[in-house]
PDB file of all heavy atoms in Angstrom:
ATOM      1  N   LEU A  87      17.638  14.895  49.533  1.00 97.00           N
ATOM      2  CA  LEU A  87      18.522  15.088  48.349  1.00 97.00           C
ATOM      3  C   LEU A  87      17.718  15.575  47.167  1.00 97.00           C
ATOM      4  O   LEU A  87      18.133  16.544  46.424  1.00 97.00           O
ATOM      5  CB  LEU A  87      19.301  13.855  48.084  1.00 97.00           C
ATOM      6  CG  LEU A  87      20.295  13.974  46.884  1.00 97.00           C
ATOM      7  CD1 LEU A  87      21.308  14.970  47.112  1.00 97.00           C
ATOM      8  CD2 LEU A  87      20.934  12.562  46.685  1.00 97.00           C
ATOM      9  N   CYS A  88      16.623  14.948  46.861  1.00 97.00           N
ATOM     10  CA  CYS A  88      15.786  15.362  45.739  1.00 97.00           C
ATOM     11  C   CYS A  88      15.224  16.753  45.920  1.00 97.00           C
ATOM     12  O   CYS A  88      15.258  17.631  44.977  1.00 97.00           O
ATOM     13  CB  CYS A  88      14.594  14.348  45.555  1.00 97.00           C
ATOM     14  SG  CYS A  88      15.095  12.742  44.921  1.00 97.00           S
ATOM     15  N   ALA A  89      14.798  17.111  47.078  1.00 97.00           N
ATOM     16  CA  ALA A  89      14.244  18.374  47.376  1.00 97.00           C
ATOM     17  C   ALA A  89      15.303  19.452  47.241  1.00 97.00           C
ATOM     18  O   ALA A  89      15.051  20.587  46.753  1.00 97.00           O
ATOM     19  CB  ALA A  89      13.585  18.452  48.803  1.00 97.00           C
ATOM     20  N   ALA A  90      16.507  19.182  47.755  1.00 97.00           N
ATOM     21  CA  ALA A  90      17.627  20.104  47.654  1.00 97.00           C
ATOM     22  C   ALA A  90      17.926  20.400  46.200  1.00 97.00           C
ATOM     23  O   ALA A  90      18.251  21.508  45.762  1.00 97.00           O
ATOM     24  CB  ALA A  90      18.822  19.588  48.426  1.00 97.00           C
ATOM     25  N   THR A  91      17.898  19.355  45.373  1.00 94.00           N
ATOM     26  CA  THR A  91      18.196  19.551  43.897  1.00 94.00           C
ATOM     27  C   THR A  91      17.172  20.454  43.300  1.00 94.00           C
ATOM     28  O   THR A  91      17.457  21.329  42.514  1.00 94.00           O
ATOM     29  CB  THR A  91      18.212  18.161  43.178  1.00 94.00           C
ATOM     30  OG1 THR A  91      19.161  17.360  43.815  1.00 94.00           O
ATOM     31  CG2 THR A  91      18.447  18.254  41.716  1.00 94.00           C
ATOM     32  N   GLY A  92      15.912  20.227  43.748  1.00 93.00           N
ATOM     33  CA  GLY A  92      14.860  21.072  43.157  1.00 93.00           C
ATOM     34  C   GLY A  92      15.107  22.520  43.590  1.00 93.00           C
ATOM     35  O   GLY A  92      14.842  23.471  42.794  1.00 93.00           O
ATOM     36  N   THR A  93      15.475  22.739  44.849  1.00 92.00           N
ATOM     37  CA  THR A  93      15.730  24.066  45.325  1.00 92.00           C
ATOM     38  C   THR A  93      16.771  24.786  44.507  1.00 92.00           C
ATOM     39  O   THR A  93      16.768  25.972  44.258  1.00 92.00           O
ATOM     40  CB  THR A  93      16.060  24.095  46.820  1.00 92.00           C
ATOM     41  OG1 THR A  93      15.048  23.459  47.564  1.00 92.00           O
ATOM     42  CG2 THR A  93      16.317  25.498  47.360  1.00 92.00           C
ATOM     43  N   ALA A  94      17.764  24.032  44.113  1.00 94.00           N
ATOM     44  CA  ALA A  94      18.932  24.582  43.448  1.00 94.00           C
ATOM     45  C   ALA A  94      18.569  24.967  41.955  1.00 94.00           C
ATOM     46  O   ALA A  94      19.153  25.901  41.408  1.00 94.00           O
ATOM     47  CB  ALA A  94      20.035  23.600  43.427  1.00 94.00           C
ATOM     48  N   PHE A  95      17.701  24.213  41.341  1.00 95.00           N
ATOM     49  CA  PHE A  95      17.470  24.435  39.857  1.00 95.00           C
ATOM     50  C   PHE A  95      16.089  25.064  39.546  1.00 95.00           C
ATOM     51  O   PHE A  95      15.854  25.363  38.402  1.00 95.00           O
ATOM     52  CB  PHE A  95      17.621  23.054  39.181  1.00 95.00           C
ATOM     53  CG  PHE A  95      18.929  22.534  39.130  1.00 95.00           C
ATOM     54  CD1 PHE A  95      19.377  21.562  39.990  1.00 95.00           C
ATOM     55  CD2 PHE A  95      19.905  23.035  38.208  1.00 95.00           C
ATOM     56  CE1 PHE A  95      20.700  21.094  39.957  1.00 95.00           C
ATOM     57  CE2 PHE A  95      21.188  22.519  38.202  1.00 95.00           C
ATOM     58  CZ  PHE A  95      21.598  21.598  39.067  1.00 95.00           C
ATOM     59  N   ALA A  96      15.241  25.153  40.524  1.00 96.00           N
ATOM     60  CA  ALA A  96      13.867  25.703  40.250  1.00 96.00           C
ATOM     61  C   ALA A  96      13.827  27.227  40.345  1.00 96.00           C
ATOM     62  O   ALA A  96      14.591  27.815  41.100  1.00 96.00           O
ATOM     63  CB  ALA A  96      12.831  25.017  41.180  1.00 96.00           C
ATOM     64  N   ARG A  97      12.895  27.833  39.730  1.00 95.00           N
ATOM     65  CA  ARG A  97      12.634  29.275  39.838  1.00 95.00           C
ATOM     66  C   ARG A  97      11.816  29.472  41.146  1.00 95.00           C
ATOM     67  O   ARG A  97      12.132  30.403  41.876  1.00 95.00           O
ATOM     68  CB  ARG A  97      11.957  29.787  38.598  1.00 95.00           C
ATOM     69  CG  ARG A  97      11.598  31.271  38.663  1.00 95.00           C
ATOM     70  CD  ARG A  97      11.074  31.718  37.340  1.00 95.00           C
ATOM     71  NE  ARG A  97       9.863  31.007  36.967  1.00 95.00           N
ATOM     72  CZ  ARG A  97       8.566  31.388  37.425  1.00 95.00           C
ATOM     73  NH1 ARG A  97       8.459  32.372  38.197  1.00 95.00           N
ATOM     74  NH2 ARG A  97       7.512  30.642  37.102  1.00 95.00           N
ATOM     75  N   GLN A  98      10.780  28.684  41.296  1.00 96.00           N
ATOM     76  CA  GLN A  98       9.929  28.760  42.481  1.00 96.00           C
ATOM     77  C   GLN A  98      10.457  27.702  43.433  1.00 96.00           C
ATOM     78  O   GLN A  98       9.993  26.605  43.539  1.00 96.00           O
ATOM     79  CB  GLN A  98       8.423  28.531  42.136  1.00 96.00           C
ATOM     80  CG  GLN A  98       7.920  29.409  41.063  1.00 96.00           C
ATOM     81  CD  GLN A  98       6.494  29.064  40.658  1.00 96.00           C
ATOM     82  OE1 GLN A  98       5.458  29.406  41.288  1.00 96.00           O
ATOM     83  NE2 GLN A  98       6.373  28.317  39.562  1.00 96.00           N
ATOM     84  N   ARG A  99      11.482  28.087  44.189  1.00 96.00           N
ATOM     85  CA  ARG A  99      12.260  27.056  44.892  1.00 96.00           C
ATOM     86  C   ARG A  99      11.519  26.350  45.948  1.00 96.00           C
ATOM     87  O   ARG A  99      11.531  25.150  46.002  1.00 96.00           O
ATOM     88  CB  ARG A  99      13.504  27.701  45.456  1.00 96.00           C
ATOM     89  CG  ARG A  99      14.510  28.236  44.434  1.00 96.00           C
ATOM     90  CD  ARG A  99      15.713  28.875  45.045  1.00 96.00           C
ATOM     91  NE  ARG A  99      16.680  29.249  43.999  1.00 96.00           N
ATOM     92  CZ  ARG A  99      17.910  29.769  44.298  1.00 96.00           C
ATOM     93  NH1 ARG A  99      18.202  30.062  45.508  1.00 96.00           N
ATOM     94  NH2 ARG A  99      18.693  30.053  43.313  1.00 96.00           N
ATOM     95  N   TRP A 100      10.861  27.105  46.838  1.00 95.00           N
ATOM     96  CA  TRP A 100      10.239  26.366  48.007  1.00 95.00           C
ATOM     97  C   TRP A 100       8.978  25.641  47.513  1.00 95.00           C
ATOM     98  O   TRP A 100       8.760  24.555  48.024  1.00 95.00           O
ATOM     99  CB  TRP A 100       9.941  27.377  49.109  1.00 95.00           C
ATOM    100  CG  TRP A 100      11.070  27.877  49.796  1.00 95.00           C
ATOM    101  CD1 TRP A 100      11.689  29.136  49.659  1.00 95.00           C
ATOM    102  CD2 TRP A 100      11.960  27.134  50.617  1.00 95.00           C
ATOM    103  NE1 TRP A 100      12.852  29.179  50.485  1.00 95.00           N
ATOM    104  CE2 TRP A 100      13.035  27.916  51.078  1.00 95.00           C
ATOM    105  CE3 TRP A 100      11.922  25.800  51.106  1.00 95.00           C
ATOM    106  CZ2 TRP A 100      14.013  27.562  51.885  1.00 95.00           C
ATOM    107  CZ3 TRP A 100      12.960  25.368  52.007  1.00 95.00           C
ATOM    108  CH2 TRP A 100      13.932  26.211  52.389  1.00 95.00           C
ATOM    109  N   LYS A 101       8.236  26.234  46.626  1.00 97.00           N
ATOM    110  CA  LYS A 101       7.055  25.467  46.143  1.00 97.00           C
ATOM    111  C   LYS A 101       7.463  24.154  45.444  1.00 97.00           C
ATOM    112  O   LYS A 101       6.912  23.095  45.694  1.00 97.00           O
ATOM    113  CB  LYS A 101       6.294  26.314  45.136  1.00 97.00           C
ATOM    114  CG  LYS A 101       5.015  25.605  44.574  1.00 97.00           C
ATOM    115  CD  LYS A 101       4.462  26.390  43.381  1.00 97.00           C
ATOM    116  CE  LYS A 101       3.783  27.618  43.821  1.00 97.00           C
ATOM    117  NZ  LYS A 101       3.041  28.219  42.632  1.00 97.00           N
ATOM    118  N   THR A 102       8.506  24.282  44.615  1.00 97.00           N
ATOM    119  CA  THR A 102       9.018  23.040  43.914  1.00 97.00           C
ATOM    120  C   THR A 102       9.572  22.033  44.926  1.00 97.00           C
ATOM    121  O   THR A 102       9.268  20.833  44.783  1.00 97.00           O
ATOM    122  CB  THR A 102      10.037  23.447  42.922  1.00 97.00           C
ATOM    123  OG1 THR A 102       9.532  24.462  41.949  1.00 97.00           O
ATOM    124  CG2 THR A 102      10.549  22.205  42.091  1.00 97.00           C
ATOM    125  N   ALA A 103      10.295  22.514  45.867  1.00 97.00           N
ATOM    126  CA  ALA A 103      10.853  21.565  46.834  1.00 97.00           C
ATOM    127  C   ALA A 103       9.778  20.835  47.628  1.00 97.00           C
ATOM    128  O   ALA A 103       9.869  19.677  47.834  1.00 97.00           O
ATOM    129  CB  ALA A 103      11.799  22.302  47.782  1.00 97.00           C
ATOM    130  N   LEU A 104       8.733  21.529  47.998  1.00 98.00           N
ATOM    131  CA  LEU A 104       7.679  20.962  48.770  1.00 98.00           C
ATOM    132  C   LEU A 104       6.887  19.937  47.903  1.00 98.00           C
ATOM    133  O   LEU A 104       6.536  18.868  48.373  1.00 98.00           O
ATOM    134  CB  LEU A 104       6.727  21.994  49.286  1.00 98.00           C
ATOM    135  CG  LEU A 104       7.245  22.861  50.439  1.00 98.00           C
ATOM    136  CD1 LEU A 104       6.267  23.972  50.731  1.00 98.00           C
ATOM    137  CD2 LEU A 104       7.467  21.987  51.725  1.00 98.00           C
ATOM    138  N   LEU A 105       6.695  20.221  46.639  1.00 98.00           N
ATOM    139  CA  LEU A 105       5.987  19.349  45.805  1.00 98.00           C
ATOM    140  C   LEU A 105       6.852  18.087  45.426  1.00 98.00           C
ATOM    141  O   LEU A 105       6.272  16.995  45.259  1.00 98.00           O
ATOM    142  CB  LEU A 105       5.544  20.033  44.513  1.00 98.00           C
ATOM    143  CG  LEU A 105       4.426  21.025  44.704  1.00 98.00           C
ATOM    144  CD1 LEU A 105       4.137  21.798  43.409  1.00 98.00           C
ATOM    145  CD2 LEU A 105       3.137  20.391  45.214  1.00 98.00           C
ATOM    146  N   ILE A 106       8.180  18.315  45.348  1.00 98.00           N
ATOM    147  CA  ILE A 106       9.086  17.209  45.135  1.00 98.00           C
ATOM    148  C   ILE A 106       8.986  16.231  46.380  1.00 98.00           C
ATOM    149  O   ILE A 106       8.873  15.007  46.213  1.00 98.00           O
ATOM    150  CB  ILE A 106      10.507  17.658  44.984  1.00 98.00           C
ATOM    151  CG1 ILE A 106      10.679  18.213  43.568  1.00 98.00           C
ATOM    152  CG2 ILE A 106      11.496  16.568  45.241  1.00 98.00           C
ATOM    153  CD1 ILE A 106      12.041  18.912  43.383  1.00 98.00           C
ATOM    154  N   ALA A 107       8.967  16.783  47.524  1.00 98.00           N
ATOM    155  CA  ALA A 107       8.891  16.025  48.746  1.00 98.00           C
ATOM    156  C   ALA A 107       7.502  15.221  48.757  1.00 98.00           C
ATOM    157  O   ALA A 107       7.446  14.025  49.171  1.00 98.00           O
ATOM    158  CB  ALA A 107       8.963  16.831  49.999  1.00 98.00           C
ATOM    159  N   LEU A 108       6.431  15.897  48.378  1.00 98.00           N
ATOM    160  CA  LEU A 108       5.138  15.254  48.293  1.00 98.00           C
ATOM    161  C   LEU A 108       5.105  14.072  47.301  1.00 98.00           C
ATOM    162  O   LEU A 108       4.625  12.976  47.583  1.00 98.00           O
ATOM    163  CB  LEU A 108       4.037  16.295  47.953  1.00 98.00           C
ATOM    164  CG  LEU A 108       2.657  15.721  47.731  1.00 98.00           C
ATOM    165  CD1 LEU A 108       2.186  14.998  48.998  1.00 98.00           C
ATOM    166  CD2 LEU A 108       1.736  16.806  47.328  1.00 98.00           C
ATOM    167  N   SER A 109       5.633  14.353  46.137  1.00 98.00           N
ATOM    168  CA  SER A 109       5.703  13.363  45.074  1.00 98.00           C
ATOM    169  C   SER A 109       6.535  12.154  45.528  1.00 98.00           C
ATOM    170  O   SER A 109       6.131  10.998  45.326  1.00 98.00           O
ATOM    171  CB  SER A 109       6.310  13.959  43.780  1.00 98.00           C
ATOM    172  OG  SER A 109       6.310  13.021  42.708  1.00 98.00           O
ATOM    173  N   PHE A 110       7.632  12.423  46.166  1.00 98.00           N
ATOM    174  CA  PHE A 110       8.472  11.377  46.703  1.00 98.00           C
ATOM    175  C   PHE A 110       7.774  10.559  47.766  1.00 98.00           C
ATOM    176  O   PHE A 110       7.844   9.286  47.760  1.00 98.00           O
ATOM    177  CB  PHE A 110       9.795  12.038  47.272  1.00 98.00           C
ATOM    178  CG  PHE A 110      10.895  11.029  47.654  1.00 98.00           C
ATOM    179  CD1 PHE A 110      11.978  10.858  46.850  1.00 98.00           C
ATOM    180  CD2 PHE A 110      10.858  10.363  48.852  1.00 98.00           C
ATOM    181  CE1 PHE A 110      12.968   9.943  47.170  1.00 98.00           C
ATOM    182  CE2 PHE A 110      11.842   9.434  49.201  1.00 98.00           C
ATOM    183  CZ  PHE A 110      12.915   9.261  48.331  1.00 98.00           C
ATOM    184  N   HIS A 111       7.110  11.179  48.677  1.00 98.00           N
ATOM    185  CA  HIS A 111       6.459  10.505  49.739  1.00 98.00           C
ATOM    186  C   HIS A 111       5.242   9.695  49.257  1.00 98.00           C
ATOM    187  O   HIS A 111       4.879   8.714  49.836  1.00 98.00           O
ATOM    188  CB  HIS A 111       6.041  11.443  50.822  1.00 98.00           C
ATOM    189  CG  HIS A 111       7.136  11.780  51.844  1.00 98.00           C
ATOM    190  ND1 HIS A 111       8.112  12.691  51.555  1.00 98.00           N
ATOM    191  CD2 HIS A 111       7.430  11.245  53.039  1.00 98.00           C
ATOM    192  CE1 HIS A 111       8.943  12.744  52.578  1.00 98.00           C
ATOM    193  NE2 HIS A 111       8.631  11.844  53.470  1.00 98.00           N
ATOM    194  N   LEU A 112       4.600  10.186  48.237  1.00 97.00           N
ATOM    195  CA  LEU A 112       3.529   9.385  47.632  1.00 97.00           C
ATOM    196  C   LEU A 112       4.030   8.094  47.021  1.00 97.00           C
ATOM    197  O   LEU A 112       3.337   7.010  47.090  1.00 97.00           O
ATOM    198  CB  LEU A 112       2.781  10.178  46.564  1.00 97.00           C
ATOM    199  CG  LEU A 112       1.837  11.294  47.068  1.00 97.00           C
ATOM    200  CD1 LEU A 112       1.253  12.044  45.917  1.00 97.00           C
ATOM    201  CD2 LEU A 112       0.728  10.642  47.929  1.00 97.00           C
ATOM    202  N   HIS A 113       5.238   8.093  46.535  1.00 96.00           N
ATOM    203  CA  HIS A 113       5.882   6.849  46.099  1.00 96.00           C
ATOM    204  C   HIS A 113       6.098   5.861  47.257  1.00 96.00           C
ATOM    205  O   HIS A 113       5.756   4.720  47.191  1.00 96.00           O
ATOM    206  CB  HIS A 113       7.231   7.187  45.450  1.00 96.00           C
ATOM    207  CG  HIS A 113       7.959   5.975  44.906  1.00 96.00           C
ATOM    208  ND1 HIS A 113       8.224   5.752  43.605  1.00 96.00           N
ATOM    209  CD2 HIS A 113       8.441   4.844  45.547  1.00 96.00           C
ATOM    210  CE1 HIS A 113       8.886   4.613  43.476  1.00 96.00           C
ATOM    211  NE2 HIS A 113       9.049   4.026  44.656  1.00 96.00           N
ATOM    212  N   LEU A 114       6.653   6.438  48.337  1.00 96.00           N
ATOM    213  CA  LEU A 114       6.802   5.549  49.523  1.00 96.00           C
ATOM    214  C   LEU A 114       5.482   4.960  50.018  1.00 96.00           C
ATOM    215  O   LEU A 114       5.392   3.847  50.359  1.00 96.00           O
ATOM    216  CB  LEU A 114       7.540   6.342  50.654  1.00 96.00           C
ATOM    217  CG  LEU A 114       8.921   6.930  50.338  1.00 96.00           C
ATOM    218  CD1 LEU A 114       9.536   7.533  51.606  1.00 96.00           C
ATOM    219  CD2 LEU A 114       9.832   5.916  49.730  1.00 96.00           C
ATOM    220  N   LEU A 115       4.477   5.858  50.102  1.00 95.00           N
ATOM    221  CA  LEU A 115       3.155   5.404  50.559  1.00 95.00           C
ATOM    222  C   LEU A 115       2.620   4.384  49.704  1.00 95.00           C
ATOM    223  O   LEU A 115       2.095   3.363  50.183  1.00 95.00           O
ATOM    224  CB  LEU A 115       2.222   6.617  50.608  1.00 95.00           C
ATOM    225  CG  LEU A 115       0.748   6.327  51.032  1.00 95.00           C
ATOM    226  CD1 LEU A 115       0.726   5.809  52.481  1.00 95.00           C
ATOM    227  CD2 LEU A 115      -0.131   7.567  50.892  1.00 95.00           C
ATOM    228  N   GLY A 116       2.745   4.560  48.364  1.00 94.00           N
ATOM    229  CA  GLY A 116       2.233   3.545  47.386  1.00 94.00           C
ATOM    230  C   GLY A 116       2.981   2.200  47.612  1.00 94.00           C
ATOM    231  O   GLY A 116       2.344   1.143  47.532  1.00 94.00           O
ATOM    232  N   ASP A 117       4.323   2.238  47.853  1.00 93.00           N
ATOM    233  CA  ASP A 117       5.016   0.991  48.104  1.00 93.00           C
ATOM    234  C   ASP A 117       4.599   0.348  49.425  1.00 93.00           C
ATOM    235  O   ASP A 117       4.584  -0.956  49.469  1.00 93.00           O
ATOM    236  CB  ASP A 117       6.531   1.263  48.145  1.00 93.00           C
ATOM    237  CG  ASP A 117       7.112   1.436  46.754  1.00 93.00           C
ATOM    238  OD1 ASP A 117       6.311   1.271  45.752  1.00 93.00           O
ATOM    239  OD2 ASP A 117       8.302   1.778  46.648  1.00 93.00           O
ATOM    240  N   ILE A 118       4.263   1.079  50.449  1.00 94.00           N
ATOM    241  CA  ILE A 118       3.851   0.539  51.718  1.00 94.00           C
ATOM    242  C   ILE A 118       2.468  -0.105  51.607  1.00 94.00           C
ATOM    243  O   ILE A 118       2.254  -1.194  52.123  1.00 94.00           O
ATOM    244  CB  ILE A 118       3.867   1.595  52.816  1.00 94.00           C
ATOM    245  CG1 ILE A 118       5.270   2.103  53.108  1.00 94.00           C
ATOM    246  CG2 ILE A 118       3.194   1.110  54.062  1.00 94.00           C
ATOM    247  CD1 ILE A 118       5.360   3.272  53.930  1.00 94.00           C
ATOM    248  N   VAL A 119       1.537   0.503  50.956  1.00 93.00           N
ATOM    249  CA  VAL A 119       0.182   0.020  50.895  1.00 93.00           C
ATOM    250  C   VAL A 119      -0.133  -0.922  49.727  1.00 93.00           C
ATOM    251  O   VAL A 119      -1.085  -1.728  49.876  1.00 93.00           O
ATOM    252  CB  VAL A 119      -0.879   1.133  50.971  1.00 93.00           C
ATOM    253  CG1 VAL A 119      -0.616   2.101  52.122  1.00 93.00           C
ATOM    254  CG2 VAL A 119      -0.874   2.024  49.627  1.00 93.00           C
ATOM    255  N   GLY A 120       0.564  -0.876  48.687  1.00 88.00           N
ATOM    256  CA  GLY A 120       0.198  -1.590  47.514  1.00 88.00           C
ATOM    257  C   GLY A 120       1.277  -2.174  46.650  1.00 88.00           C
ATOM    258  O   GLY A 120       1.248  -2.085  45.421  1.00 88.00           O
ATOM    259  N   ALA A 121       2.296  -2.816  47.267  1.00 84.00           N
ATOM    260  CA  ALA A 121       3.387  -3.379  46.477  1.00 84.00           C
ATOM    261  C   ALA A 121       3.796  -4.734  46.988  1.00 84.00           C
ATOM    262  O   ALA A 121       4.945  -5.140  46.824  1.00 84.00           O
ATOM    263  CB  ALA A 121       4.612  -2.400  46.526  1.00 84.00           C
ATOM    264  N   ARG A 122       2.816  -5.500  47.468  1.00 83.00           N
ATOM    265  CA  ARG A 122       3.091  -6.895  47.910  1.00 83.00           C
ATOM    266  C   ARG A 122       3.433  -7.783  46.727  1.00 83.00           C
ATOM    267  O   ARG A 122       2.849  -7.747  45.670  1.00 83.00           O
ATOM    268  CB  ARG A 122       1.987  -7.447  48.713  1.00 83.00           C
ATOM    269  CG  ARG A 122       2.357  -8.735  49.440  1.00 83.00           C
ATOM    270  CD  ARG A 122       1.105  -9.345  50.189  1.00 83.00           C
ATOM    271  NE  ARG A 122       0.150  -9.954  49.272  1.00 83.00           N
ATOM    272  CZ  ARG A 122      -1.056  -9.558  49.141  1.00 83.00           C
ATOM    273  NH1 ARG A 122      -1.516  -8.495  49.872  1.00 83.00           N
ATOM    274  NH2 ARG A 122      -1.882 -10.105  48.279  1.00 83.00           N
TER     275      ARG A 122
END
Side-chain angles (χ1 to χ4, degrees):
L87 178 61
C88 289
T91 303
T93 301
F95 291 100
R97 181 175 58 86
Q98 304 174 84
R99 293 182 175 181
W100 289 108
K101 179 192 288 187
T102 304
L104 289 173
L105 290 175
I106 284 174
L108 174 59
S109 184
F110 189 100
H111 277 82
L112 285 176
H113 181 117
L114 300 188
L115 178 62
D117 282 353
I118 291 170
V119 304
R122 191 180 73 242

